[in-house]
Amino acid sequence: MQAAYGAAQRALHALESTDSAQVRSVPAAEATAEDFLLADAYLFCAPENLASLSGTMKECFDRLYYALIEQLNGRPYAAIISAGTDGHSALRQLQRICTGWRLEQACDPVIVLTNASNADEILAPKQLTSAQLASAERCGENLAALLCL
């Protein structure tokens, strides 16, 4: 997430759009309906846990889904999912939620695989490769650049 966030900030600066657009990072547990309503686009970053979105991310959507229905229509979004070996189930769950909110997928989703498949690997700190970081950065850059068009 930090790679995408930094890249989005750099893209806005390079496009000289920092006066008209800004990048904010809001943890799912702290996100409010107002945060969603004030945003022009969304980059959802979440881990996949047990073939589903993380509990914190799912709780955010559960808490805000109906309060925001029909209010976010047409806004762009992108997704980055971190997963041990798959990530597609969490991505499909996120895409279904975004479809319900009538958000528009702005760029290809990114699934970052850590290849963690046992308890020790899952609980261990992760080190992403430069290619994985670059994919996340492109996602953040593309979404930020879209807002400048």
Side-chain angles (χ1 to χ4, degrees):
M1 186 211 43
Q2 292 301 325
Y5 176 80
Q9 287 183 312
R10 289 189 299 277
L12 289 179
H13 182 72
L15 295 168
E16 299 178 359
S17 294
T18 53
D19 290 338
S20 61
Q22 64 174 317
V23 179
R24 293 182 56 226
S25 175
V26 180
E30 298 171 20
T32 65
E34 183 177 1
D35 291 323
F36 276 86
L37 291 169
L38 290 173
D40 294 319
Y42 314 96
L43 175 54
F44 298 112
C45 300
E48 179 180 74
N49 293 337
L50 303 172
S52 182
L53 286 172
S54 70
T56 303
M57 182 66 91
K58 182 65 170 68
E59 186 277 333
C60 174
F61 289 129
D62 287 344
R63 180 169 38 86
L64 298 174
Y65 186 82
Y66 290 105
L68 294 170
I69 199 98
E70 298 294 332
Q71 297 183 64
L72 307 177
N73 297 4
R75 295 182 193 190
Y77 82 94
I80 300 175
I81 302 293
S82 172
T85 59
D86 184 32
H88 289 91
S89 293
L91 177 60
R92 278 191 301 276
Q93 187 179 22
L94 176 63
Q95 288 171 325
R96 284 192 311 269
I97 292 164
C98 291
T99 297
W101 270 344
R102 292 174 180 68
L103 300 178
E104 299 292 331
Q105 186 170 299
C107 55
D108 290 337
V110 174
I111 296 178
V112 176
L113 295 179
T114 63
N115 298 313
S117 60
N118 62 51
D120 290 337
E121 292 171 343
I122 291 167
L123 296 173
K126 311 299 184 282
Q127 184 66 37
L128 301 183
T129 68
S130 58
Q132 290 171 320
L133 291 170
S135 292
E137 288 173 344
R138 276 191 305 278
C139 189
E141 288 169 348
N142 289 342
L143 192 58
L146 176 68
L147 293 176
C148 298
L149 296 177

